[in-house]
Tab-separated table of all heavy atoms in Angstrom:
chain	number	residue	atom	x	y	z
A	326	CYS	N	-5.802	-11.831	-39.515
A	326	CYS	CA	-5.313	-11.780	-38.129
A	326	CYS	C	-5.879	-12.979	-37.352
A	326	CYS	O	-7.078	-13.262	-37.443
A	326	CYS	CB	-5.746	-10.478	-37.468
A	326	CYS	SG	-5.294	-9.031	-38.436
A	328	TYR	N	-6.706	-13.532	-34.425
A	328	TYR	CA	-7.637	-13.326	-33.308
A	328	TYR	C	-8.999	-12.786	-33.741
A	328	TYR	O	-9.944	-12.778	-32.969
A	328	TYR	CB	-7.016	-12.312	-32.319
A	328	TYR	CG	-6.420	-11.094	-33.005
A	328	TYR	CD1	-7.191	-9.987	-33.300
A	328	TYR	CD2	-5.078	-11.083	-33.401
A	328	TYR	CE1	-6.649	-8.889	-33.957
A	328	TYR	CE2	-4.530	-9.996	-34.051
A	328	TYR	CZ	-5.315	-8.901	-34.327
A	328	TYR	OH	-4.773	-7.833	-34.992
A	329	CYS	N	-9.097	-12.320	-34.978
A	329	CYS	CA	-10.238	-11.477	-35.338
A	329	CYS	C	-11.371	-12.231	-36.043
A	329	CYS	O	-11.128	-12.984	-36.997
A	329	CYS	CB	-9.735	-10.338	-36.215
A	329	CYS	SG	-11.038	-9.186	-36.645
A	330	GLY	N	-12.574	-12.002	-35.578
A	330	GLY	CA	-13.744	-12.700	-36.101
A	330	GLY	C	-14.084	-12.369	-37.551
A	330	GLY	O	-14.774	-13.142	-38.218
A	331	ILE	N	-13.624	-11.235	-38.060
A	331	ILE	CA	-13.961	-10.927	-39.465
A	331	ILE	C	-12.777	-11.207	-40.398
A	331	ILE	O	-12.728	-10.724	-41.527
A	331	ILE	CB	-14.498	-9.483	-39.647
A	331	ILE	CG1	-13.451	-8.426	-39.308
A	331	ILE	CG2	-15.765	-9.267	-38.813
A	331	ILE	CD1	-13.828	-7.023	-39.831
A	366	GLN	N	-15.324	2.767	-39.313
A	366	GLN	CA	-14.427	1.613	-39.161
A	366	GLN	C	-14.858	0.489	-40.090
A	366	GLN	O	-16.049	0.321	-40.366
A	366	GLN	CB	-14.443	1.117	-37.714
A	366	GLN	CG	-13.366	0.065	-37.447
A	366	GLN	CD	-13.380	-0.427	-36.007
A	366	GLN	OE1	-14.232	-1.216	-35.619
A	366	GLN	NE2	-12.433	0.044	-35.216
A	367	SER	N	-13.885	-0.260	-40.575
A	367	SER	CA	-14.223	-1.412	-41.424
A	367	SER	C	-13.081	-2.408	-41.390
A	367	SER	O	-12.015	-2.132	-40.847
A	367	SER	CB	-14.432	-0.956	-42.872
A	367	SER	OG	-13.191	-0.578	-43.433
A	404	SER	N	-10.816	4.368	-39.195
A	404	SER	CA	-10.161	3.187	-38.637
A	404	SER	C	-10.314	2.088	-39.690
A	404	SER	O	-11.181	1.230	-39.608
A	404	SER	CB	-10.851	2.821	-37.317
A	404	SER	OG	-10.327	1.639	-36.795
A	426	MET	N	-5.340	3.299	-35.409
A	426	MET	CA	-4.823	1.997	-35.834
A	426	MET	C	-4.010	1.402	-34.691
A	426	MET	O	-2.944	1.895	-34.345
A	426	MET	CB	-3.975	2.116	-37.088
A	426	MET	CG	-3.592	0.740	-37.613
A	426	MET	SD	-3.005	0.771	-39.299
A	426	MET	CE	-1.887	2.125	-39.221
A	427	ARG	N	-4.546	0.340	-34.134
A	427	ARG	CA	-3.851	-0.266	-33.007
A	427	ARG	C	-2.594	-0.986	-33.474
A	427	ARG	O	-2.591	-1.599	-34.532
A	427	ARG	CB	-4.767	-1.277	-32.315
A	427	ARG	CG	-5.932	-0.632	-31.596
A	427	ARG	CD	-6.663	-1.693	-30.802
A	427	ARG	NE	-7.792	-1.142	-30.082
A	427	ARG	CZ	-8.664	-1.889	-29.415
A	427	ARG	NH1	-8.530	-3.209	-29.403
A	427	ARG	NH2	-9.667	-1.342	-28.773
A	428	ILE	N	-1.588	-0.932	-32.623
A	428	ILE	CA	-0.385	-1.725	-32.868
A	428	ILE	C	-0.648	-3.156	-32.374
A	428	ILE	O	0.068	-4.082	-32.715
A	428	ILE	CB	0.853	-1.070	-32.203
A	428	ILE	CG1	2.150	-1.737	-32.626
A	428	ILE	CG2	0.756	-1.049	-30.683
A	428	ILE	CD1	2.608	-1.418	-33.994
A	429	GLU	N	-1.693	-3.324	-31.594
A	429	GLU	CA	-2.138	-4.613	-31.010
A	429	GLU	C	-1.217	-5.096	-29.883
A	429	GLU	O	-1.682	-5.490	-28.829
A	429	GLU	CB	-2.320	-5.727	-32.049
A	429	GLU	CG	-3.107	-5.340	-33.307
A	429	GLU	CD	-4.557	-4.904	-33.051
A	429	GLU	OE1	-5.012	-4.972	-31.912
A	429	GLU	OE2	-5.213	-4.471	-34.017
A	449	ARG	N	3.379	-1.611	-39.880
A	449	ARG	CA	2.349	-0.974	-39.058
A	449	ARG	C	2.882	0.349	-38.478
A	449	ARG	O	2.215	1.372	-38.479
A	449	ARG	CB	1.934	-1.957	-37.946
A	449	ARG	CG	0.857	-1.517	-36.982
A	449	ARG	CD	-0.533	-1.475	-37.571
A	449	ARG	NE	-1.011	-2.676	-38.201
A	449	ARG	CZ	-1.915	-3.515	-37.696
A	449	ARG	NH1	-2.440	-3.295	-36.516
A	449	ARG	NH2	-2.329	-4.563	-38.386
A	466	GLY	N	-3.253	1.570	-29.942
A	466	GLY	CA	-3.663	0.838	-28.751
A	466	GLY	C	-3.295	-0.616	-28.877
A	466	GLY	O	-2.703	-1.034	-29.874
A	467	VAL	N	-3.644	-1.362	-27.855
A	467	VAL	CA	-3.267	-2.774	-27.816
A	467	VAL	C	-4.433	-3.613	-27.296
A	467	VAL	O	-5.388	-3.073	-26.726
A	467	VAL	CB	-2.060	-2.993	-26.871
A	467	VAL	CG1	-0.818	-2.309	-27.402
A	467	VAL	CG2	-2.364	-2.521	-25.442
A	468	MET	N	-4.316	-4.896	-27.510
A	468	MET	CA	-5.236	-5.827	-26.847
A	468	MET	C	-4.560	-6.278	-25.556
A	468	MET	O	-3.341	-6.451	-25.513
A	468	MET	CB	-5.529	-7.027	-27.736
A	468	MET	CG	-6.398	-6.666	-28.930
A	468	MET	SD	-6.888	-8.115	-29.879
A	468	MET	CE	-5.339	-8.650	-30.545
A	469	ILE	N	-5.376	-6.460	-24.548
A	469	ILE	CA	-4.846	-6.798	-23.224
A	469	ILE	C	-5.210	-8.242	-22.900
A	469	ILE	O	-6.384	-8.624	-23.034
A	469	ILE	CB	-5.459	-5.833	-22.181
A	469	ILE	CG1	-5.033	-4.396	-22.534
A	469	ILE	CG2	-5.039	-6.209	-20.757
A	469	ILE	CD1	-5.970	-3.343	-22.019
A	495	GLY	N	-6.850	3.553	-27.623
A	495	GLY	CA	-8.013	2.674	-27.486
A	495	GLY	C	-7.494	1.274	-27.185
A	495	GLY	O	-6.701	0.726	-27.954
A	497	GLY	N	-8.445	-2.690	-25.267
A	497	GLY	CA	-9.498	-3.514	-24.685
A	497	GLY	C	-8.975	-4.911	-24.466
A	497	GLY	O	-7.912	-5.285	-24.985
A	498	PRO	N	-9.722	-5.693	-23.684
A	498	PRO	CA	-9.304	-7.071	-23.434
A	498	PRO	C	-9.343	-7.917	-24.704
A	498	PRO	O	-10.198	-7.702	-25.569
A	498	PRO	CB	-10.344	-7.574	-22.436
A	498	PRO	CG	-11.508	-6.657	-22.560
A	498	PRO	CD	-10.968	-5.338	-23.005
A	499	PHE	N	-8.425	-8.854	-24.799
A	499	PHE	CA	-8.484	-9.838	-25.882
A	499	PHE	C	-9.575	-10.834	-25.539
A	499	PHE	O	-9.634	-11.367	-24.427
A	499	PHE	CB	-7.124	-10.551	-26.012
A	499	PHE	CG	-7.227	-11.838	-26.773
A	499	PHE	CD1	-7.448	-11.839	-28.146
A	499	PHE	CD2	-7.132	-13.066	-26.123
A	499	PHE	CE1	-7.583	-13.028	-28.851
A	499	PHE	CE2	-7.260	-14.262	-26.825
A	499	PHE	CZ	-7.485	-14.242	-28.188
A	500	LEU	N	-10.471	-11.067	-26.498
A	500	LEU	CA	-11.561	-12.017	-26.275
A	500	LEU	C	-11.573	-13.021	-27.423
A	500	LEU	O	-11.111	-12.725	-28.525
A	500	LEU	CB	-12.897	-11.258	-26.207
A	500	LEU	CG	-12.995	-10.277	-25.024
A	500	LEU	CD1	-14.125	-9.282	-25.230
A	500	LEU	CD2	-13.194	-11.043	-23.726
A	501	ILE	N	-12.123	-14.175	-27.123
A	501	ILE	CA	-12.088	-15.254	-28.115
A	501	ILE	C	-13.199	-15.116	-29.151
A	501	ILE	O	-14.331	-14.763	-28.827
A	501	ILE	CB	-12.268	-16.613	-27.392
A	501	ILE	CG1	-11.109	-16.871	-26.435
A	501	ILE	CG2	-12.450	-17.762	-28.374
A	501	ILE	CD1	-9.780	-17.147	-27.077
A	502	HIS	N	-12.868	-15.402	-30.403
A	502	HIS	CA	-13.900	-15.628	-31.412
A	502	HIS	C	-13.718	-17.063	-31.891
A	502	HIS	O	-12.611	-17.469	-32.250
A	502	HIS	CB	-13.747	-14.639	-32.565
A	502	HIS	CG	-14.914	-14.689	-33.509
A	502	HIS	ND1	-15.155	-15.774	-34.311
A	502	HIS	CD2	-15.915	-13.813	-33.740
A	502	HIS	CE1	-16.274	-15.549	-35.006
A	502	HIS	NE2	-16.746	-14.365	-34.674
A	505	THR	N	-11.771	-18.557	-35.200
A	505	THR	CA	-10.397	-18.092	-35.437
A	505	THR	C	-9.412	-19.114	-34.874
A	505	THR	O	-9.772	-19.908	-33.997
A	505	THR	CB	-10.117	-16.747	-34.704
A	505	THR	OG1	-10.155	-16.985	-33.280
A	505	THR	CG2	-11.113	-15.677	-35.073
A	546	ALA	N	-15.255	-3.643	-25.815
A	546	ALA	CA	-14.807	-4.965	-25.346
A	546	ALA	C	-14.853	-5.054	-23.815
A	546	ALA	O	-15.055	-6.130	-23.259
A	546	ALA	CB	-13.399	-5.272	-25.866
A	579	TYR	N	-20.423	-8.106	-37.705
A	579	TYR	CA	-19.203	-7.409	-37.289
A	579	TYR	C	-18.785	-7.838	-35.888
A	579	TYR	O	-18.458	-7.022	-35.040
A	579	TYR	CB	-19.413	-5.888	-37.357
A	579	TYR	CG	-18.117	-5.120	-37.541
A	579	TYR	CD1	-17.553	-4.931	-38.800
A	579	TYR	CD2	-17.433	-4.600	-36.444
A	579	TYR	CE1	-16.363	-4.242	-38.968
A	579	TYR	CE2	-16.230	-3.911	-36.597
A	579	TYR	CZ	-15.714	-3.731	-37.860
A	579	TYR	OH	-14.532	-3.042	-38.028
A	580	LEU	N	-18.829	-9.136	-35.673
A	580	LEU	CA	-18.391	-9.635	-34.367
A	580	LEU	C	-16.900	-9.931	-34.419
A	580	LEU	O	-16.480	-10.939	-34.950
A	580	LEU	CB	-19.155	-10.912	-34.000
A	580	LEU	CG	-20.651	-10.745	-33.762
A	580	LEU	CD1	-21.275	-12.064	-33.318
A	580	LEU	CD2	-20.909	-9.675	-32.705
A	581	LEU	N	-16.110	-9.007	-33.890
A	581	LEU	CA	-14.658	-9.209	-33.877
A	581	LEU	C	-14.311	-10.267	-32.838
A	581	LEU	O	-13.321	-10.965	-32.929
A	581	LEU	CB	-13.946	-7.902	-33.536
A	581	LEU	CG	-14.289	-6.704	-34.414
A	581	LEU	CD1	-13.534	-5.477	-33.947
A	581	LEU	CD2	-13.977	-6.986	-35.869
A	582	TYR	N	-15.173	-10.358	-31.812
A	582	TYR	CA	-14.968	-11.320	-30.733
A	582	TYR	C	-16.341	-11.676	-30.207
A	582	TYR	O	-17.335	-11.009	-30.533
A	582	TYR	CB	-14.123	-10.703	-29.606
A	582	TYR	CG	-14.573	-9.321	-29.238
A	582	TYR	CD1	-15.643	-9.122	-28.383
A	582	TYR	CD2	-13.975	-8.193	-29.807
A	582	TYR	CE1	-16.108	-7.859	-28.077
A	582	TYR	CE2	-14.424	-6.922	-29.505
A	582	TYR	CZ	-15.493	-6.760	-28.639
A	582	TYR	OH	-15.954	-5.502	-28.350
A	583	GLU	N	-16.410	-12.729	-29.370
A	583	GLU	CA	-17.717	-13.127	-28.857
A	583	GLU	C	-18.144	-12.319	-27.644
A	583	GLU	O	-17.310	-11.756	-26.938
A	583	GLU	CB	-17.712	-14.615	-28.535
A	583	GLU	CG	-18.239	-15.398	-29.735
A	583	GLU	CD	-17.490	-16.670	-29.973
A	583	GLU	OE1	-17.286	-17.423	-29.018
A	583	GLU	OE2	-17.089	-16.900	-31.131
B	837	LIG	N1	-10.581	-9.543	-29.033
B	837	LIG	C1	-10.433	-8.254	-28.710
B	837	LIG	N2	-10.247	-7.282	-29.605
B	837	LIG	C2	-10.212	-7.623	-30.898
B	837	LIG	N3	-10.036	-6.890	-32.009
B	837	LIG	C3	-10.102	-7.708	-33.073
B	837	LIG	N4	-10.308	-8.961	-32.683
B	837	LIG	C4	-10.370	-8.950	-31.322
B	837	LIG	C5	-10.553	-9.937	-30.328
B	837	LIG	N5	-10.696	-11.228	-30.631
B	837	LIG	C6	-9.714	-5.470	-31.968
B	837	LIG	C7	-8.317	-5.243	-32.541
B	837	LIG	C8	-8.571	-4.292	-33.681
B	837	LIG	C9	-9.870	-3.657	-33.294
B	837	LIG	C10	-10.626	-3.050	-34.421
B	837	LIG	O1	-10.600	-4.718	-32.732
B	837	LIG	O2	-7.511	-4.638	-31.540
B	837	LIG	O3	-7.535	-3.330	-33.847
Side-chain angles (χ1 to χ4, degrees):
C326 307
Y328 46 87
C329 183
I331 64 165
Q366 189 180 76
S367 70
S404 176
M426 187 164 46
R427 291 187 180 173
I428 189 75
E429 313 298 355
R449 181 72 54 106
V467 295
M468 289 186 293
I469 298 155
F499 162 72
L500 296 163
I501 297 290
H502 189 291
T505 67
Y579 205 84
L580 294 184
L581 305 179
Y582 46 82
E583 266 140 48

